[in-house]
Amino acid sequence: MSLSAKARLQFMKDLGLPAMLRLAKATKGKRAPRAANPDFGPPLKCAARLKEIMTRHYYLSRFAPGARPVAWVTSGAPVELLRALDFYTIYPENHGALCGAQKMGPELCAAAEEQGYSSDLCSYARVDLGHFFSGKTPAGQLPKPDLLFCSNNICQTVVYWYKVLAHRLGIPLVLFDTPFNYGEITEANIAYMKEQILEMIPVLEKTAGKAFDMQRFMRLAELSKSTSQLWGQCLETMRARPAPMTIFDAFVHLAPVVSLRGLPVARDYYEILLAELTERVGQGIGAITNEKKRLMWDNIAVWYKVRDFAELFAARGMNFVAATYTNAWAETIQHLDMSRPWESLAKTYSLVILNNNLKHRLGLMEKMVREYSVDGLVVHSARSCKPYSLGQYDLKSLLSRRLGIPAVVIEADITDYRFFSEEQALTRLEAFFEALEAA
Amino acid sequence: MSYFAGIDVGSLSSDAAIIGQDGDLKGWSVTETGPHSTNAAEAALDAALDMAGLTRDDLAFVVATGYGRAAVPLAGKKITEISCHALGAYALFPDVGTVIDIGGQDSKVIRLGEGGKVADFVMNDKCAAGTGRFLEVMAAKLGVGLDDLGRLSLAAQGEVSISSVCTVFAESEVVSLVAKNHPIDQVIKGLHRSVVNRVAAMTGNIGITPRVIMSGGVAKNAGVVALMAERLGVDIAVPQEPQIVGALGAALMAVRAAL
């Protein structure tokens, strides 16, 4: 790591970027605000802070190379290990969601397809590879990684996707292999994962150019734990009637716990968010003005349709109050325990929803329907995410029969809207609304 | 006496039904949608009114359904074809448990709850396989009238298997089968089998509850109905005019809406 690069990153962080943000704020003030949609309650005040945090994170990342080790990380990897070694982390999946929301999915996917990657491949992978080949990104510029950190607890695709990057960049790929949980997690599996952690630390140390400090790791792991727990508490405020935020808000406010977990900024942010949500519950302020029905969402967001869907549902007095997706970053964190750091890290990361069996998922969804007083279920069959979409028709039938709630499946993709047929999805959703209103 | 109308604007046909307050069918029509949904809806409505000997002034309420439902300005309410097909089938067959509707651009399977309400449904994905359009394209390629497909397939002494699911690829497969001198009726039976397998796979997602009704234009094809009954192992009833089930359901919704 070079001293001048470090100084440049520090300068941008302390002086350059704050000045830029002030300037942006000053010029933005002159624009007329968007007319308020009467279907929604007052917007969350801390949304501005969220935007600032994510802008800073992506903007400063371009000054990270040379100043700090840079890693590209999958959303389910035990990032606490990297935090202890001061890695600057980039989450291609979060970046993929950003590209999806900016409606850049098809363009970037096509850039990967031009290099021979199949359109059947996950569109987060295609967007990332497309960005890698073309350099296009709504974030301006992403830093080249020194190391790739990947866990297959979310899917097997990430392994091959990251192998492509490792091969092209000639950098190390560190894989955390989490055996799928078919029933109860076994001691043998925990031992296998612990051994991997112990093996990967020297590799991480070599790239970082410094020694792994156990005390620092434990401190940051606790910070990561409290961040996820705060996120869980934010979601729990949505049990209130009316719910103080919608799941479409949560899809956006999820960004720090995914990509800044283990940093003070993420923990501090959720303290602000939780305070605001709690205040809204106390004052009876709902995310939508007329909450008649409460819904649950399954699978990743349809990033290019978040706003349209939010408006479509709000106009009908329907509010999404729960989602298996947003819940995933709070679901297993209680396992993290610094009296058994490696074993508990293995458990926390291998018991996540996508590495767990369908019986677990059914039980979880049933529990969420009860706890959040859910009236209906919307299942997104995501073309990209096979592990998430497998078994959804069975889950839907079982939940709808056991709990007597209407449910609908819509077929879409997370970022590549060439695979989304709006008219067909809307007809399904409207038929679902009719069933829900008749129920 | 007030009358109620339902208009079902589909991708291929626009259909209308006129009923009295008691639900009695007074007139109906099946017309081509063509490029302009609003005109098609009005033409279908006027044709059904003609049959009933009525005018638009006699109508108390109009409900539109189908893909073009948003483009029907004279409708007081728009309801999806899923709810309308369920209610229409329930009016014709009060013991109906499942409706299989194969229309021009989509196929759907609806499981009914009490009172003709939708308990669950499943629709084809973004693909024309297993729809009326698939058979229309194949009939044109084979130079056979759409209305003759059923008769030919029932008379076939054997069956040629079609492997392509995709409409575009199946078209070239059919060309090569005919070039190899496979009898056309056997190719047609194979095409019907492909539609049936596609739709039957959808029924697996929600289950089949007797009594099973088939509606939509493809229900007029006796060859498809026979293969579907064989594949699902159930008897299938077909209404006299399977294309107006959605419009009839919409007209019944109009009675409710006017209450």
Side-chain angles (χ1 to χ4, degrees), chain A residues 383 393 396-397 400-401 406-408 411-412 418-421 423-424 426-432 434-435 438-439, chain B residues 66-67 69 78-84 105-106 111 117-127 205-207 253:
Chain A
R383 195 173 183 282
Y393 277 96
K396 174 202 153 220
S397 302
S400 144
R401 282 178 200 196
V408 67
E411 289 173 38
R418 293 173 299 175
F419 294 103
F420 176 65
S421 170
E423 193 50 47
Q424 290 193 318
L426 285 180
T427 296
R428 284 164 174 75
L429 287 175
E430 282 184 24
F432 169 70
E434 287 163 9
Chain B
Y67 269 111
R69 64 186 178 282
K78 280 112 187 170
I79 298 174
T80 63
E81 55 269 38
I82 294 146
S83 300
C84 289
Q105 83 171 34
D106 64 24
R111 188 160 56 79
K117 277 188 198 163
V118 177
D120 202 356
F121 70 93
V122 58
M123 290 173 84
N124 64 318
D125 52 23
K126 301 168 285 295
C127 169
N205 290 327
I206 60 168
M253 292 285 190

Side-chain angles (χ1 to χ4, degrees), chain B residues 126-148:
Chain B
K126 301 168 285 295
C127 169
T131 68
R133 180 76 78 190
F134 177 81
L135 292 178
E136 196 189 57
V137 168
M138 300 309 153
K141 189 49 100 184
L142 291 167
V144 173
L146 203 52
D147 295 336
D148 295 324

Side-chain angles (χ1 to χ4, degrees), chain A residues 321-362:
Chain A
V321 295
T324 52
Y325 175 57
T326 45
N327 184 61
W329 278 270
E331 195 197 338
T332 61
I333 198 68
Q334 80 278 4
H335 295 299
L336 198 59
D337 171 8
M338 285 306 109
S339 66
R340 290 182 85 208
W342 309 132
E343 292 84 349
S344 72
L345 197 65
K347 238 175 145 174
T348 302
Y349 282 97
S350 72
L351 288 175
V352 294
I353 186 167
L354 293 182
N355 203 45
N356 221 331
N357 56 77
L358 281 181
K359 194 178 165 192
H360 164 81
R361 198 156 136 202
L362 179 68

Side-chain angles (χ1 to χ4, degrees), chain B residues 191-205:
Chain B
L191 290 165
H192 288 172
R193 179 81 65 191
S194 139
V195 170
V196 164
N197 285 342
R198 186 86 178 171
V199 177
M202 284 165 41
T203 67
N205 290 327

Side-chain angles (χ1 to χ4, degrees), chain B:
Chain B
M1 179 88 188
S2 345
Y3 296 92
F4 301 85
I7 312 174
D8 179 359
V9 184
S11 61
L12 289 182
S13 78
S14 289
D15 321 309
I18 314 289
I19 60 171
Q21 196 133 26
D22 50 5
D24 258 21
L25 187 63
K26 304 292 180 191
W28 53 268
S29 68
V30 174
T31 63
E32 257 184 50
T33 298
H36 201 295
S37 303
T38 308
N39 295 351
E42 299 198 355
L45 179 69
D46 290 339
L49 284 167
D50 270 354
M51 184 195 270
L54 298 168
T55 68
R56 290 192 194 180
D57 292 337
D58 296 313
L59 296 174
F61 206 93
V62 180
V63 166
T65 187
Y67 269 111
R69 64 186 178 282
V72 186
L74 49 87
K77 201 171 175 184
K78 280 112 187 170
I79 298 174
T80 63
E81 55 269 38
I82 294 146
S83 300
C84 289
H85 268 94
L87 191 59
Y90 175 71
L92 296 168
F93 302 91
D95 57 347
V96 59
T98 308
V99 179
I100 299 175
D101 175 77
I102 310 185
Q105 83 171 34
D106 64 24
S107 7
K108 48 191 163 284
V109 183
I110 308 166
R111 188 160 56 79
L112 276 79
E114 54 168 321
K117 277 188 198 163
V118 177
D120 202 356
F121 70 93
V122 58
M123 290 173 84
N124 64 318
D125 52 23
K126 301 168 285 295
C127 169
T131 68
R133 180 76 78 190
F134 177 81
L135 292 178
E136 196 189 57
V137 168
M138 300 309 153
K141 189 49 100 184
L142 291 167
V144 173
L146 203 52
D147 295 336
D148 295 324
L149 289 178
R151 181 178 53 77
L152 288 166
S153 119
L154 288 174
Q157 301 292 314
E159 184 178 332
V160 177
S161 145
I162 308 291
S163 55
S164 302
V165 171
C166 166
T167 305
V168 177
F169 292 158
E171 198 179 349
S172 40
E173 189 178 352
V174 161
V175 172
S176 82
L177 289 170
V178 173
K180 286 179 196 155
N181 289 323
H182 285 287
I184 281 188
D185 56 356
Q186 297 189 12
V187 173
I188 292 170
K189 191 169 180 186
L191 290 165
H192 288 172
R193 179 81 65 191
S194 139
V195 170
V196 164
N197 285 342
R198 186 86 178 171
V199 177
M202 284 165 41
T203 67
N205 290 327
I206 60 168
I208 284 285
T209 311
R211 182 183 192 181
V212 180
I213 307 301
M214 265 184 78
S215 64
V218 175
K220 288 163 84 174
N221 180 328
V224 171
V225 177
L227 287 177
M228 185 71 81
E230 177 195 307
R231 171 76 164 71
L232 298 176
V234 291
D235 287 333
I236 293 178
V238 178
Q240 214 168 0
E241 289 300 334
Q243 280 172 289
I244 64 160
V245 175
L248 175 64
L252 291 162
M253 292 285 190
V255 176
R256 291 183 180 183
L259 282 181

